[in-house]
C-alpha cells in the first residue's frame, strides 16, 4: 500500500433526476465530487493510502463533504477547515444529440480563498510516494495557482512522483492564463494526462487530421502530440484519452500511453454512458495505481481504460468499483453478463 496525495476542490453536486433538464426540475439530488477527490476515492477503493488535501468550511455542509470521502476510506486528516463556502456545481445529463451541461457556483469557496500558509507540504508529504493535481485547481484563483506550483515543487524536491491532468476548463480561466501556470506546474511533473482538446487549449499542441466533434481520431497524430509534450517538459510518460463521441450516450473509449519513446494503445470499448462526469478522473486513478504497483506500460494503459470504462456506467462522480472488477474487464470480461 502506497501513500498517494491529491490536492483540489470537492464540491456539492446538484443534479436533476435522470435525464430531466434544469428547467424541468423541482428537486435535485445532492452528492459530492471533484477531480482530485474522485481520484482519491478510486485509489482508496483499490486499497491504497489515499490522502485528499483541500480547505473546507467548519459548518455542517463542509462536514458532509468530509464524510463523503471518509466513507470510502480516504484520509481526510490534512483537510484545512475555514472559510464560508463549499463550491457547488449543477449537472444536467445529456442524451442522444443533446450534450450534458455543467453550471458552476464555486466563487468564494473556501479552497479558492486559501493561502500558502494553510498547507505545510513537507508535513503533508511525509511518507508519500505520489502526488496528483489537475489543471482545474490552479484555475480557482491566483493564490491557489501559487499553492499548486509550491506543492508540485515541494513534491519534486522530495523525490515524490508527480502527475497532473491538464483538464482545461474555459469557464474558469483563459488559455493564456492556463498556459502560463501549467507551464510552471509541468516543469515539476513526471506523468501528464490529457485528452484530444487539452493539449491544444493549454499548450497549442494538437493532432493532425483529427476532428473532435465528428469523433474521427488519428492515432499517429496523438503519438506526435505526446512526443512534443515529452520533449517540452521531459515527462516520463504522457497518457492521452481517446474519446470518439457518437452521441451523448454512446462513445468509443480508449487511450494511449507514451513512455520511453514508445506508444502503447489500449483496446477500445463501445460504451453506453450512464454518467460521464468523473470518467477522466477514474482513468487518472487507474494510471496512478498501475504505475505505483509496477505494471508494465501495456498493462498500465489497459487497467486505466478499463477502470474509466466502468466509471461511465455509474451514477455520480466517483468510481465505485473494486480492484477485481477492473482487472476482470482489463483481461477481457466485458460482455456484461450476470455474475452468479
Amino acid at each position: 500500500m502506497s501513500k498517494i496525495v491529491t490536492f483540489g476542490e470537492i464540491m456539492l453536486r446538484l443534479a436533476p433526476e435522470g435525464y430531466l433538464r434544469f428547467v424541468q426540475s423541482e428537486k435535485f439530488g445532492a452528492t459530492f465530487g471533484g477531480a482530485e477527490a474522485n481520484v482519491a476515492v478510486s485509489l482508496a477503493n483499490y486499497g491504497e493510502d489515499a490522502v485528499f488535501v483541500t480547505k473546507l468550511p467548519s459548518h455542517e455542509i463542509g462536514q458532509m463533504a468530509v464524510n463523503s470521502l471518509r466513507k470510502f476510506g480516504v484520509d481526510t486528516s490534512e483537510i484545512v477547515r475555514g472559510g464560508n463556502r463549499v463550491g457547488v456545481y449543477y449537472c444536467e445529463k445529456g442524451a442522444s444529440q443533446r450534450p450534458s451541461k455543467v453550471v458552476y457556483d464555486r466563487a468564494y469557496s473556501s479552497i479558492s480563498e486559501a493561502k500558502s500558509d494553510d498547507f505545510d507540504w513537507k508535513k503533508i508529504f511525509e511518507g508519500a510516494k505520489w502526488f496528483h493535481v489537475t489543471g482545474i485547481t490552479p484555475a480557482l484563483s491566483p493564490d491557489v495557482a501559487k499553492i499548486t506550483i509550491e506543492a508540485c515543487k515541494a513534491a519534486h524536491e522530495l523525490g515524490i512522483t508527480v502527475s497532473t491532468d491538464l483538464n482545461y476548463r474555459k469557464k474558469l480561466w483563459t488559455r493564456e492564463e492556463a498556459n502560463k501556470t501549467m507551464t510552471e506546474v509541468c516543469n515539476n511533473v513526471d506523468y501528464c494526462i490529457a485528452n484530444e482538446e487539452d493539449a491544444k487549449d493549454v499548450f497549442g499542441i494538437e493532432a493532425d487530421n483529427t476532428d473532435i466533434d465528428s469523433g474521427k481520431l488519428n492515432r499517429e497524430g496523438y503519438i506526435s502530440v505526446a512526443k512534443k509534450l515529452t520533449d517540452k517538459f521531459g515527462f516520463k510518460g504522457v497518457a492521452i484519452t481517446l474519446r470518439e463521441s457518437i452521441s451523448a450516450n454512446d462513445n468509443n473509449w480508449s487511450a494511449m500511453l507514451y513512455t520511453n519513446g514508445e506508444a502503447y494503445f489500449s483496446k477500445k470499448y463501445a460504451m453506453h454512458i450512464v454518467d460521464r462526469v468523473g470518467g477522466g478522473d477514474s482513468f487518472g486513478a487507474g494510471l496512478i495505481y498501475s504505475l505505483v504497483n509496477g505494471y508494465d506500460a501495456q498493462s498500465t494503459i489497459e487497467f486505466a481504460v478499463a477502470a474509466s470504462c466502468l466509471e461511465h456506467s455509474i451514477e455520480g462522480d466517483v468510481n465505485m468499483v473494486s480492484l477485481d472488477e477492473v482487472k476482470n474487464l482489463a483481461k477481457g470480461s466485458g460482455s456484461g453478463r450476470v455474475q452468479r
Side-chain angles (χ1 to χ4, degrees):
M1 183 169 68
S2 299
K3 178 178 175 180
I4 302 165
V5 179
T6 73
F7 169 60
E9 179 171 30
I10 185 169
M11 293 176 290
L12 175 65
R13 168 177 166 165
L14 299 177
E17 293 182 318
Y19 292 96
L20 291 178
R21 305 212 68 186
F22 290 137
V23 295
Q24 291 178 284
S25 302
E26 296 181 353
K27 57 184 178 179
F28 289 167
T31 55
F32 288 88
E36 296 88 353
N38 299 340
V39 170
V41 170
S42 283
L43 290 167
N45 282 341
Y46 302 151
E48 301 297 338
D49 179 11
V51 181
F52 179 62
V53 182
T54 191
K55 186 173 184 178
L56 286 167
S58 298
H59 56 52
E60 289 83 354
I61 308 304
Q63 192 59 44
M64 284 175 64
V66 173
N67 293 348
S68 75
L69 296 164
R70 284 179 175 170
K71 71 181 181 181
F72 292 109
V74 174
D75 184 342
T76 61
S77 62
E78 298 295 346
I79 293 179
V80 176
R81 306 305 289 268
N84 299 307
R85 285 205 69 207
V86 176
V88 178
Y89 85 95
Y90 301 84
C91 183
E92 176 187 283
K93 289 203 300 182
S96 191
Q97 279 64 49
R98 175 172 59 83
S100 297
K101 289 190 175 181
V102 169
V103 176
Y104 290 126
D105 178 18
R106 61 202 300 181
Y108 309 108
S109 67
S110 291
I111 184 61
S112 72
E113 296 185 335
K115 304 297 180 184
S116 290
D117 58 9
D118 284 327
F119 305 99
D120 182 350
W121 291 110
K122 186 175 181 180
K123 173 181 175 292
I124 292 168
F125 287 142
E126 285 180 3
K129 189 170 183 177
W130 198 289
F131 175 58
H132 179 73
V133 70
T134 76
I136 298 172
T137 299
L140 297 176
S141 73
D143 281 329
V144 181
K146 179 185 175 185
I147 295 167
T148 303
I149 293 167
E150 290 170 346
C152 290
K153 286 182 176 178
H156 185 73
E157 289 170 1
L158 290 168
I160 296 167
T161 301
V162 181
S163 61
T164 191
D165 188 330
L166 294 183
N167 261 353
Y168 177 70
R169 296 291 185 267
K170 65 183 179 181
K171 293 184 179 181
L172 296 180
W173 59 355
T174 66
R175 289 180 175 86
E176 291 74 22
E177 290 171 327
N179 180 280
K180 181 177 183 295
T181 297
M182 292 309 293
T183 295
E184 289 195 66
V185 168
C186 286
N187 282 329
N188 295 282
V189 163
D190 299 287
Y191 289 91
C192 178
I193 302 166
N195 64 24
E196 63 269 23
E197 298 171 87
D198 291 336
K200 177 182 178 181
D201 287 332
V202 179
F203 296 121
I205 297 172
E206 60 183 308
D208 295 330
N209 302 319
T210 295
D211 181 350
I212 60 172
D213 293 319
S214 71
K216 296 177 181 177
L217 304 179
N218 173 22
R219 285 162 60 114
E220 295 303 316
Y222 290 107
I223 297 174
S224 173
V225 168
K227 184 178 186 305
K228 290 175 183 177
L229 286 169
T230 300
D231 291 344
K232 183 176 179 67
F233 294 106
F235 295 135
K236 293 179 181 178
V238 175
I240 297 180
T241 54
L242 308 174
R243 185 186 296 274
E244 299 170 78
S245 294
I246 300 165
S247 70
N249 298 99
D250 295 287
N251 289 180
N252 292 327
W253 184 243
S254 60
M256 178 198 77
L257 175 62
Y258 182 86
T259 183
N260 296 320
E262 297 290 335
Y264 300 84
F265 286 86
S266 74
K267 70 184 72 172
K268 183 186 294 187
Y269 295 96
M271 302 186 304
H272 186 74
I273 297 171
V274 171
D275 192 334
R276 176 172 167 170
V277 177
D281 305 325
S282 57
F283 173 82
L287 191 82
I288 293 167
Y289 175 85
S290 304
L291 291 169
V292 163
N293 286 279
Y295 286 26
D296 63 36
Q298 190 64 50
S299 299
T300 292
I301 200 63
E302 295 292 359
F303 183 93
V305 167
S308 185
C309 178
L310 288 172
E311 201 282 333
H312 283 79
S313 72
I314 297 169
E315 293 275 4
D317 285 46
V318 299
N319 198 14
M320 292 179 278
V321 297
S322 69
L323 189 58
D324 283 343
E325 287 174 313
V326 180
K327 287 181 175 179
N328 287 338
L329 180 57
K331 288 188 294 187
S333 178
S335 65
R337 292 173 63 86
V338 176
Q339 295 183 2
R340 304 181 190 277

